[in-house]
Amino acid sequence: MNEYEMQPEGELAAALNEFESQNQRFFEQSVKRQTVQEKTNIRVSLLSKIAYGFGDVGCNFSWMFVSNFLMIFYTDVCGISMAAVSMLMLFSRFWDAINDPLIGSLSDRTRTRWGRYRPWLVFGAPLTAVILVLTFWAHPNWSDGPKTIYMYVTYCLLVLGYTCVNIPYGTLCGAMTQNMEERAQINTSRSVCAMIAINIINIITLPLIALFGGNNQSRGYLLVTILYGAIFTACHWFCFAKTREIGSIPAKEKVSIKVQLQAALANKPYLVALAGQLLFGLVHYGRSANLMYYFKYVEGNEALFTTYSLVLIVPSIIGAAMFPLAFKWLGNKGHAASLFAAGTGICVVALYFFSPVFSPVPFYILSALSQLFFCGFNTAIYAIIPDCVEYGEWKTGVRNDGFQYAFVSLGNKVGMAIGTSVLAAVLGVLGFQANQIQSPLIQNVIRHSFSTIPGVLWIITAIILLFYSINKKSYNQIIADLAAKKQPFRS
């Protein structure tokens, strides 16, 4: 007689039920693990990763060109005052506060046979390229009123066009795979391509302006912009053609802006990433706008900007490629970003004590190191966002990829606006006059804006990103829980 025959009938039934329940739980866990592996082990081809990277090549032939050259184009070529430029940068961010979340929400709701985000690249890129050309179509002979109005209209349209391309492009990474390591590799490709593009832009732009325009800088800028607009469009079309959105398009459901905001506010890792992006925009773009002023008015030779950019090419590639290694070592993308931000800050502060004219060797060594750390940070900070989307869905039940990326973009642009507008306002108050020798006070402000101020802000960024909490283990658990919710089991 076995042990079940010796038990009363009720206890036997209970034991059998418990045995069946254990088998069912084992089966559910096995299927759950298989589902998680299927969804998180999607591999993205090398060509698709390269194509995605080319999207950011296009972005930088628009936005980094704008960041580095538009402010000095306005003041030194168009003859627009620093005060007007400062007000433009602040005003445009109010415009961003409206259109960024709107475009993010619209891209989430887009339904086409090409996916949600890729179609925006096809149609948005050529339109934005046209507006980019109009933005750099100088009218220095116009009176102050009309050319200031022209500046405001074209720049705000450019910001809208760029938003229509960049937000869907940035969100596309999360739609290509849920694999955490694959996303890291995709963003590494993006960052490597972006850094190469940025340095190429910085190296060739001034020579091309001189080649195309001769003594006529207005003509030179216009022809360069036509070329860059064509590159911008071609890169995004290539990205569209060779990438795929793997995830299925969710059923249409209307989620109010209020609910999406509440979901974002409940997403603590996302808020840390958002703070990082705000500081990133403030530090990076403010310093980028200052570079041409630094070499032209402090060091006395704007051609040094080209030399400086040449030195940064190799460190840019190495720094971007270092992110997957740092992530593998630390197991946390936010902590990897923190490490890179701290390295950038230390090197940039040290640059205050050296000059490319009087102490070129330490100056360029520190510049190369700061770029290496910065490119690692740039890769990490964008790799964070898709993981925050998964966390947000797990935490709140609301998935809004484009909406969340829109606020990341907005935070970045708000930082950019503060950095550039404060620089322009301070220089304007101190009496900056374009194409003139500047006072020692103005030169000192430009010098600090190149080194100590951004350096300290980079270190603050590093401290904030230490609070980012998603690591490999917690992320895999989040994906497992999401898979279980989407595939309920029946007895």
Side-chain angles (χ1 to χ4, degrees), residues 129-152:
V130 171
I131 301 169
L132 178 67
V133 172
L134 293 175
T135 303
F136 280 89
W137 183 20
H139 301 284
N141 296 325
W142 288 5
S143 61
D144 289 346
K147 67 183 176 185
T148 300
I149 292 172
Y150 183 83
M151 173 184 71
Y152 272 73

Side-chain angles (χ1 to χ4, degrees), residues 347-366:
C347 293
V348 170
V349 168
L351 278 171
Y352 179 78
F353 302 99
F354 303 99
S355 161
V357 176
F358 301 107
S359 48
V361 173
F363 177 87
Y364 287 118
I365 288 174
L366 286 168

Side-chain angles (χ1 to χ4, degrees), residues 60-321:
N60 282 288
F61 268 91
S62 169
W63 200 244
M64 207 62 214
F65 172 55
V66 167
S67 301
N68 286 355
F69 293 95
L70 185 60
M71 186 168 160
I72 201 165
F73 169 78
Y74 281 150
T75 59
D76 291 25
V77 178
C78 296
I80 297 171
S81 70
M82 276 287 188
V85 173
S86 177
M87 288 302 297
L88 167 68
M89 296 304 168
L90 286 176
F91 172 78
S92 65
R93 295 301 79 88
F94 289 102
W95 175 232
D96 276 330
I98 297 171
N99 70 65
D100 276 26
L102 177 62
I103 298 302
S105 185
L106 286 174
S107 65
D108 281 337
R109 298 177 184 180
T110 300
R111 302 293 184 276
T112 74
R113 62 190 179 93
W114 299 304
R116 286 180 287 172
Y117 308 113
R118 292 168 60 240
W120 291 77
L121 310 184
V122 175
F123 302 107
L127 293 175
T128 304
V130 171
I131 301 169
L132 178 67
V133 172
L134 293 175
T135 303
F136 280 89
W137 183 20
H139 301 284
N141 296 325
W142 288 5
S143 61
D144 289 346
K147 67 183 176 185
T148 300
I149 292 172
Y150 183 83
M151 173 184 71
Y152 272 73
V153 171
T154 54
Y155 185 75
C156 287
L157 288 175
L158 177 63
V159 167
L160 175 59
Y162 183 75
T163 297
C164 289
V165 175
N166 186 249
I167 287 179
Y169 166 73
T171 313
L172 176 60
C173 174
M176 291 170 69
T177 178
Q178 284 186 308
N179 185 295
M180 201 179 196
E181 285 76 17
E182 284 291 293
R183 286 176 174 176
Q185 292 177 21
I186 292 169
N187 277 284
T188 298
S189 173
R190 171 184 182 173
S191 188
V192 169
C193 290
M195 292 306 114
I196 292 172
I198 289 170
N199 286 296
I200 289 174
I201 291 165
N202 292 341
I203 291 166
I204 68 173
T205 297
L206 290 178
L208 284 179
I209 290 170
L211 176 66
F212 293 158
N215 294 326
N216 186 342
Q217 278 196 309
S218 297
R219 175 182 169 82
Y221 268 102
L222 181 61
L223 294 178
V224 165
T225 308
I226 292 172
L227 173 63
Y228 288 0
I231 294 172
F232 173 82
T233 302
C235 286
H236 283 100
W237 282 357
F238 177 56
C239 179
F240 165 83
K242 298 301 179 181
T243 57
R244 293 291 180 269
E245 296 181 35
I246 302 300
S248 59
I249 298 177
K252 285 189 178 182
E253 56 176 319
K254 290 186 178 180
V255 181
S256 68
I257 297 292
K258 180 180 178 181
V259 170
Q260 294 190 69
L261 281 172
Q262 290 173 340
L265 291 173
N267 189 333
K268 291 182 181 179
Y270 174 71
L271 295 178
V272 172
L274 190 59
Q277 282 283 356
L278 176 64
L279 284 165
F280 172 40
L282 172 64
V283 181
H284 177 58
Y285 292 111
R287 187 171 184 263
S288 295
N290 183 62
L291 284 175
M292 287 294 295
Y293 292 95
Y294 173 77
F295 288 109
K296 182 175 181 177
Y297 294 111
V298 175
E299 301 299 345
N301 184 1
E302 65 180 9
L304 288 171
F305 176 73
T306 301
T307 306
Y308 172 80
S309 302
L310 276 167
V311 170
L312 303 185
I313 292 180
V314 174
S316 297
I317 299 170
I318 295 173

